[in-house]
């Protein structure tokens, strides 16, 4: 089963939950899809890491073959190519790596220049596999990295936790694509509830079953909980606002490995999630 | 010499517009024939890369000088390759600026902005 952990707003506790749920599931796989700032590896400190570079298509022009027809220039809907003095100029930041220019070129003057956009680290710690994608600074889209990580785990029978990027943009959509179940980590703020709604709408549009973990709970009203109740999102657990948990987490330690009470807390949440998710899979076998 | 200017249609006639890639029209003025010609900027409605496409249009018209208030860095790269000089307008009156350019009284546009490209 593949469980995506997401939140909408950043800082609600996605990584806290994804890391600690993984930590109480030996034999599972943790996939960090928060490619702009992957930080799950800081907690797990995996060993025997294999790194693989991720490249995307980038038009490499053979000026000797180019006949100046400009078909590539007018094909590119992002206008990443232009022609001056019969020479094609490529704008790497504008290119979306679709490869269409190479297909449209009648004289095969465009080949794949393979632009490196990031790296995937694959390591292990305590019988847990840690896959972590990192997008190079300055690159616009990390979707190819996420897709490549998804390919690496699509056929596994192991339990997988996907730590998703914040927000509800393309990177998040791609991160939940292979998930069987989504976990929404919420915080008791209006901002958190607002972004929870955005990401919940995304999950509905992607036709994924979901449940919530309410994080940083205190005595005040929780607009995120209100939203979950209104929308019938099952609540898998409530994590109280806890300075000690915050301290352990801020030191880059896995709370469930540091203290028995946290281990029990996350194991309880996990068993509820597994139960809920298997109900969903039975009710909706197509998923 | 061919001069290009992004133009804006207002109630009081035409003036120099605030944008290069997203301007609706360009005026092309030829100092040899003293003829001016207004062309539509087909790059205006493009989702992305409007500056690049607009620069391509200007370059293909064999323009030598562009007078505009601002220009993005991608457009500038292309214009530079094509040896198009870029000058900053002084006020928004079209023919006043053309005269100022001919009298060598305009400054070159050197603060090129990194673009207003929205994320994907």
């Amino acid at each position: 089963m593949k469980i995506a952990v997401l939140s909408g707003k950043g800082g609600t506790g996605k990584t806290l939950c994804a890391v600690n749920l993984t930590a109480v599931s030996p034999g599972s796989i943790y996939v960090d899809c928060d490619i702009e700032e992957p930080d799950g590896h800081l907690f797990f400190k995996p060993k025997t890491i294999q790194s693989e570079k991720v490249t995307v298509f980038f038009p490499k022009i053979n000026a000797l073959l180019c006949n100046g027809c400009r078909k590539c220039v007018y094909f590119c809907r992002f206008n990443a190519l232009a022609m001056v003095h019969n020479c094609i100029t490529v704008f790497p930041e504008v290119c979306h790596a679709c490869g269409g220019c190479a297909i449209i070129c009648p004289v095969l003057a465009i080949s794949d220049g393979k632009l490196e956009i990031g790296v995937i680290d694959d390591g292990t710690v305590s019988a847990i596999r840690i896959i972590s994608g990192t997008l190079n600074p300055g690159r616009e889209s990390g979707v190819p990295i996420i897709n490549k990580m998804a390919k690496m785990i699509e056929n596994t029978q192991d339990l997988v936790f996907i730590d998703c990027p914040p927000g509800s943009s393309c990177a998040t959509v791609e991160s939940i694509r292979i998930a069987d179940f989504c976990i929404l980590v919420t915080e008791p703020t209006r901002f958190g509830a607002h972004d929870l709604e955005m990401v919940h709408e995304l999950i509905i549009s992607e036709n994924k079953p979901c449940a919530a973990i309410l994080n940083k709970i205190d005595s005040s009203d929780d607009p995120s909980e209100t939203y979950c109740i209104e929308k019938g999102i099952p609540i898998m657990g409530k994590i109280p606002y806890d300075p000690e948990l915050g301290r352990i987490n801020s030191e880059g330690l896995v709370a469930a490995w540091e203290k028995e009470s946290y281990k029990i807390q996350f194991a309880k949440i996990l068993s509820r999630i597994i139960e809920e998710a298997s109900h969903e899979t039975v009710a909706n076998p197509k998923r | 010499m061919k001069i290009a200017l992004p133009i804006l249609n207002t109630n009081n006639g035409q003036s120099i517009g605030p944008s290069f890639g997203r301007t609706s029209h360009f005026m092309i003025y030829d100092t040899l024939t003293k003829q001016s010609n207004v062309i539509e900027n087909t790059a205006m409605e493009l989702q992305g890369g409007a500056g690049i496409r607009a620069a391509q249009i200007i370059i293909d018209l064999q323009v030598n000088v562009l007078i505009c208030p601002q220009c993005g860095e991608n457009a500038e790269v292309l214009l530079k390759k094509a040896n198009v000089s870029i000058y900053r307008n002084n006020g928004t009156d079209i023919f006043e600026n053309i005269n100022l350019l001919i009298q060598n009284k305009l400054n070159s546009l050197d603060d090129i902005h990194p673009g207003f490209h929205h994320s994907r």
Side-chain angles (χ1 to χ4, degrees):
Chain A
M1 184 185 306
K2 299 177 183 70
I3 298 168
V5 181
L6 61 169
S7 68
K9 180 182 171 294
T12 66
K14 275 184 307 298
T15 299
L16 172 83
C17 289
V19 164
N20 282 283
L21 290 171
T22 308
V24 295
S25 321
S28 65
I29 304 173
Y30 169 88
V31 185
D32 203 338
C33 284
D34 190 0
I35 35 124
E36 287 183 20
E37 273 171 313
D39 54 357
H41 67 97
L42 299 174
F43 297 93
F44 287 118
K45 303 165 188 73
K47 292 177 185 69
T48 61
I49 295 170
Q50 287 188 314
S51 297
E52 193 188 347
K53 285 175 181 167
V54 182
T55 62
V56 292
F57 172 87
F58 179 71
K60 189 176 159 190
I61 315 288
N62 185 333
L64 294 172
L65 293 177
C66 176
N67 65 359
C69 73
R70 295 193 182 200
K71 281 195 172 140
C72 56
V73 171
Y74 294 113
F75 172 80
C76 182
R77 62 180 296 178
F78 303 104
N79 296 298
L81 302 122
M83 178 164 269
V84 180
H85 303 318
N86 272 326
C87 274
I88 294 288
T89 298
V90 183
F91 291 91
E93 288 80 17
V94 183
C95 176
H96 282 50
C98 74
C101 52
I103 296 169
I104 207 101
C105 178
V107 292
L108 305 175
I110 304 179
S111 59
D112 185 358
K114 288 193 195 307
L115 185 71
E116 189 187 323
I117 60 156
V119 67
I120 295 173
D121 293 322
D122 192 349
T124 51
V125 63
S126 309
I128 293 168
R129 185 176 170 197
I130 312 292
I131 302 172
S132 184
T134 308
L135 180 69
N136 288 348
R139 303 259 36 110
E140 256 192 82
S141 169
V143 167
I145 301 175
I146 293 169
N147 287 342
K148 198 161 187 175
M149 289 193 287
K151 270 256 148 53
M152 289 164 72
I153 52 160
E154 66 182 348
N155 294 320
T156 182
Q157 294 305 309
D158 296 334
L159 183 58
V160 178
F161 294 94
I162 302 165
D163 196 351
C164 296
S168 47
S169 63
C170 299
T172 309
V173 178
E174 296 300 328
S175 302
I176 66 170
R177 193 146 279 168
I178 59 159
D180 303 301
F181 197 76
C182 293
I183 289 294
L184 300 161
V185 181
T186 74
E187 65 170 29
T189 64
R190 289 184 64 183
F191 183 3
H194 174 270
D195 283 16
L196 168 68
E197 183 176 345
M198 289 174 68
V199 88
H200 181 232
E201 283 170 6
L202 166 70
I203 288 169
I204 291 169
S205 73
E206 291 292 308
N207 196 27
K208 302 277 181 190
C210 70
I213 297 173
L214 309 183
N215 189 23
K216 297 188 258 186
I217 294 303
D218 58 14
S219 56
S220 61
D221 284 344
D222 182 351
S224 297
E225 182 175 18
T226 310
Y227 180 81
C228 289
I229 293 167
E230 266 174 24
K231 298 290 174 180
I233 304 169
I235 293 164
M236 299 292 101
K238 295 182 182 182
I239 302 171
Y241 176 76
D242 177 357
E244 197 193 355
L245 181 59
R247 184 187 56 76
I248 293 172
N249 206 49
S250 70
E251 287 169 359
L253 300 168
V254 180
W257 288 349
E258 294 299 312
K259 211 175 155 187
E260 191 64 20
S261 61
Y262 293 133
K263 186 178 171 180
I264 295 166
Q265 189 178 8
F266 281 103
K268 267 188 190 163
I269 294 173
L270 177 68
S271 63
R272 274 187 217 125
I273 292 171
I274 301 289
E275 195 185 340
E276 180 72 29
S278 37
H279 282 321
E280 278 292 341
T281 351
V282 172
N284 300 289
K286 262 189 277 178
R287 281 167 181 155
Chain B
M1 178 172 68
K2 269 188 175 178
I3 304 166
L5 311 97
I7 59 168
L8 198 67
N9 292 311
T10 64
N11 294 336
N12 305 321
Q14 292 172 329
S15 64
I16 297 180
S19 149
F20 170 64
R22 300 280 175 195
T23 193
S24 67
H25 293 81
F26 285 110
M27 179 180 282
I28 311 294
Y29 180 84
D30 192 330
T31 54
L32 285 178
T33 61
K34 297 192 164 47
Q35 295 278 311
S36 66
N37 194 4
V38 172
I39 60 151
E40 202 184 329
N41 175 26
T42 50
M44 183 183 82
E45 297 288 343
L46 295 173
Q47 208 179 14
I52 296 171
R53 182 57 66 81
Q56 180 82 65
I57 294 167
I58 294 296
I59 291 164
D60 291 346
L61 290 167
Q62 268 115 39
V63 163
N64 308 97
V65 175
L66 170 68
I67 302 174
C68 65
Q70 56 176 349
C71 172
E73 61 182 359
N74 288 337
E76 192 228 358
V77 166
L78 272 193
L79 293 167
K80 231 177 204 166
K81 278 194 183 193
N83 298 318
V84 178
S85 314
I86 314 171
Y87 288 89
R88 181 196 299 282
N89 53 306
N90 189 348
T92 57
D93 188 280
I94 295 169
F95 288 99
E96 206 174 292
N97 272 279
I98 290 172
N99 284 329
L100 286 170
L101 179 86
I102 293 165
Q103 293 161 28
N104 204 14
K105 282 183 179 165
L106 287 184
N107 294 323
S108 71
L109 182 73
D110 39 24
D111 50 341
I112 300 298
H113 69 75
F116 304 117
H117 318 120
H118 44 82
S119 59
R120 290 178 223 184

